[in-house]
Amino acid sequence: QEQLAESGGGLVQPGGSLRLSCSASGFTLDAYAIGWFRQAPGKEREFVASVSWSGGSTYYADSVKGRFAVSRDNAKNTGYLQMNSLKPEDTAVYYCAASRGSFSDFAAEYEYWGQGTQVTVSS
C-alpha cells in the first residue's frame, strides 16, 4: 500500500525551529513532487511549500517564504520541511503529500497524503 508518514512535529517556542520529515513507503517518491500543507483549528487546509520531483524547483506560500525551506532526499525516499523563526500562527497539523510530476499549491493535485503531524508554537 502506498503511504506517506510525517514526523518531527512537536511543541516549540516562538522563534524556534523544527524539521519535519515525510517518508514514503510502497512507492518510489522520486517520481513525485512533494507538497506540504497545514490545517489550523477552525481553518481550511492551506498550502505551505512544495518541491519538484528532482528537487530543482521549490514553491512557497508567502506566509512562510524566507522562514521555511523544503527539500528532499530521493535516496532516502524522504522529503523535509525545515521551519525556522516559527510564529504562533504557524500552529497547525502539517501534512505532506505526493503529486506525480507536479508541485502544485492545490491540494486536489496530490495523490497521496500522510496522516499529519502536530506543530504547536507557543510560549
Side-chain angles (χ1 to χ4, degrees):
Q1 188 80 274
E2 299 91 348
Q3 296 184 74
L4 296 174
E6 304 93 339
S7 62
L11 175 65
V12 65
Q13 293 186 352
S17 297
L18 285 173
R19 189 192 195 199
L20 305 184
S21 297
C22 174
S23 297
S25 60
F27 69 105
T28 302
L29 195 55
D30 64 1
Y32 297 81
I34 301 170
W36 290 90
F37 295 79
R38 67 187 182 187
Q39 188 166 19
K43 296 185 178 180
E44 299 287 331
R45 185 171 299 186
E46 66 174 346
F47 171 78
V48 176
S50 61
V51 58
S52 63
W53 67 269
S54 66
S57 298
T58 58
Y59 181 37
Y60 298 93
D62 288 342
S63 59
V64 306
K65 194 174 297 181
R67 298 189 297 121
F68 290 11
V70 62
S71 63
R72 64 192 300 159
D73 186 341
N74 287 338
K76 295 182 170 63
N77 217 27
T78 300
Y80 303 96
L81 182 67
Q82 178 67 45
M83 305 185 294
N84 300 318
S85 301
L86 283 162
K87 305 174 180 179
E89 52 262 46
D90 295 319
T91 296
V93 176
Y94 283 71
Y95 300 88
C96 69
S99 173
R100 192 174 182 181
S102 179
F103 55 107
S104 172
D105 59 352
F106 291 98
E109 298 291 333
Y110 290 84
E111 183 176 1
Y112 303 116
W113 289 83
Q115 81 287 351
T117 186
Q118 178 70 48
V119 172
T120 302
V121 185
S122 176
S123 59

